[in-house]
DNA sequence: ATACTCATGTAAGCTGTTACATGATTCT
DNA sequence: AGAATCATGTAACAGCTTACATGAGTAT
């Protein structure tokens, strides 16, 4: 089977580590867990499940619920091997970020102080909203599945850090206490953080 | 002009806030500044500049350097308005993250302790590499452009936080000191971080 | 009866990347 | 002379999102 996409690894993991599942279940699971660091949309999930089935990494069993269609997927041996391989291959892993609010901050020299503060506030609001989402998605107690909880803690910690960073910057800007002063001699007087 | 893409805002900002520039200059600037939170590839930059010109937000002036083609772009009045509007519209801003190493951690229950630590180490290595890149891109002294420096500090701070988080988790795993214990009664004894 | 959730999927389109192509200039 | 950098661009493709379509079961 050719190179797997990000979504493929997500599906393989969800089914391989957490057990046999339908596309719908994975969709909901992803919405409340991996969404913040690895999003997956239904338009991607369903076709990818079929591809993985065609590639022999998953098997599908039709288990209708009444007259309602339902496809439950399980991992095959090759699928399990592919999953383990991915988890342990030490490959240079993808890390990407798109932060529009930070891009605005990058260009904020063009704004007055009021507006600058507003941009930072906007960024903080964004991450506070994410924090709300993370908190609502507190994982259930599963002693043999600690790593769901660990990555949840990451989301909590990271976004809290960002919110604090914004607060600090907001107050620095509001009180004219410019964060790190540029000295007359050209040196940068970095404020310890 | 229709809704602007992310790249369009980047270009508008680079030219509008930092002054008239060629596509090549923007490409290099983005590589050492916005890359970490808003990437842009040449295959996107050049066509988008042309689109913005066609839309009347930029003007192009041909200024060949010897026999070497060179297009310098400046912001028009509508372009400046569009830039200001974007910077101050308080729109719900994009924040996206794709963190493959964290996805592996999410599924790490399927691994043994050795392998789990290795996955975390991988994640740390990634962010240490990013930190190197950020440090090498230390912005120059520009007293009237503090916000380039501020967003640089963000990159420094954020990635340092992640590296520390990984270190903590690694040692917790290595010393069998499992981070936050699940108690017999089902409660979670969260270790303060 | 109605709305919501379960459940699966497709089609169109957007955004972006990678790889390639071209050619001039400058540095070593 | 050769390598690196300046400079612009295109073509193909990958990946993902949005919106739509369909229909059955369940709760109010």
């Amino acid at each position: 089977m050719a190179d797997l996409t990000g979504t493929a690894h997500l599906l393989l993991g969800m089914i391989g580590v957490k057990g046999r599942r339908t596309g719908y279940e994975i969709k909901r699971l992803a919405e409340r867990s991996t969404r913040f660091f690895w999003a997956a949309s239904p338009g991607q999930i369903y076709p990818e499940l079929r591809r993985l089935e065609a590639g022999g990494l998953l098997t599908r069993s039709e288990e209708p619920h009444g007259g309602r269609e339902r496809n439950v997927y399980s991992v095959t041996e090759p699928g399990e091997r592919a999953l383990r391989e991915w988890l342990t291959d030490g490959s240079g892993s993808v890390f990407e970020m798109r932060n529009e609010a930070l891009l605005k901050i990058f260009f904020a020299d063009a704004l007055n102080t009021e507006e600058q503060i507003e941009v930072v506030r906007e960024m903080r609001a964004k991450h506070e909203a994410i924090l709300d989402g993370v908190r609502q998605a507190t994982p259930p107690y599963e002693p043999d599945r600690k790593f769901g909880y660990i990555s949840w803690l990451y989301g909590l910690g990271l976004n809290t850090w960002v919110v604090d960073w914004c607060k600090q910057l907001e107050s620095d800007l509001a009180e004219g206490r410019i964060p790190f002063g540029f000295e007359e001699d050209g040196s940068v007087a970095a404020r310890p953080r």
Side-chain angles (χ1 to χ4, degrees), chain A:
Chain A
M1 180 124 202
D3 277 355
L4 298 172
T5 64
T7 307
H9 286 133
L10 177 74
L11 298 175
L12 225 41
M14 287 289 192
I15 297 164
V17 179
K18 309 214 172 263
R20 63 203 302 279
R21 263 169 178 69
T22 68
Y24 189 72
E25 285 172 318
I26 293 169
K27 178 185 145 270
R28 280 193 322 171
L29 235 173
E31 259 163 28
R32 59 195 321 284
S33 57
T34 60
R35 169 163 63 116
F36 303 106
F37 53 89
W38 205 273
S41 65
Q44 192 76 355
I45 290 172
Y46 290 110
E48 189 63 51
L49 284 171
R50 292 298 185 143
R51 268 193 292 275
L52 289 170
E53 190 201 356
L57 303 187
L58 294 179
T59 48
R60 182 170 56 91
S61 108
E62 294 182 17
E63 300 177 14
H65 204 254
R68 191 156 58 187
E69 199 180 355
R70 215 159 140 270
N71 297 311
V72 184
Y73 292 88
S74 309
V75 168
T76 63
E77 268 172 61
E80 225 153 282
R81 274 202 304 275
L83 174 58
R84 261 200 82 80
E85 235 246 72
W86 170 65
L87 283 172
T88 58
D89 68 357
S91 64
S93 50
V94 171
F95 180 85
E96 284 166 21
M97 195 170 122
R98 300 233 117 192
N99 192 337
E100 193 179 353
L102 192 57
L103 188 63
K104 288 186 184 183
I105 289 176
F106 184 76
F107 293 130
D109 296 293
L111 302 173
N112 63 46
T113 309
E114 296 279 293
E115 293 166 328
Q116 290 169 349
I117 293 170
E118 191 47 41
V119 171
V120 183
R121 229 195 297 270
E122 205 183 296
M123 175 154 157
R124 177 158 61 89
K126 182 77 191 182
H127 286 272
E128 277 167 348
I130 295 174
L131 265 182
D132 279 353
V134 171
R135 288 212 183 88
Q136 275 180 0
T138 309
Y141 171 61
E142 283 167 295
D144 53 334
R145 292 208 202 119
K146 300 204 166 79
F147 282 86
Y149 197 83
I150 289 174
S151 42
W152 178 78
L153 281 178
Y154 175 90
L156 211 62
L158 184 84
N159 285 289
T160 302
W161 183 90
V162 175
V163 166
D164 289 345
W165 185 85
C166 290
K167 277 181 188 163
Q168 181 68 50
L169 180 54
E170 279 170 55
S171 80
D172 283 352
L173 290 169
E175 284 152 42
R177 195 184 343 118
I178 297 165
F180 54 89
F182 291 104
E183 305 298 327
E184 291 294 320
D185 65 355
S187 71
V188 176
R191 252 193 334 93
R193 204 163 248 295

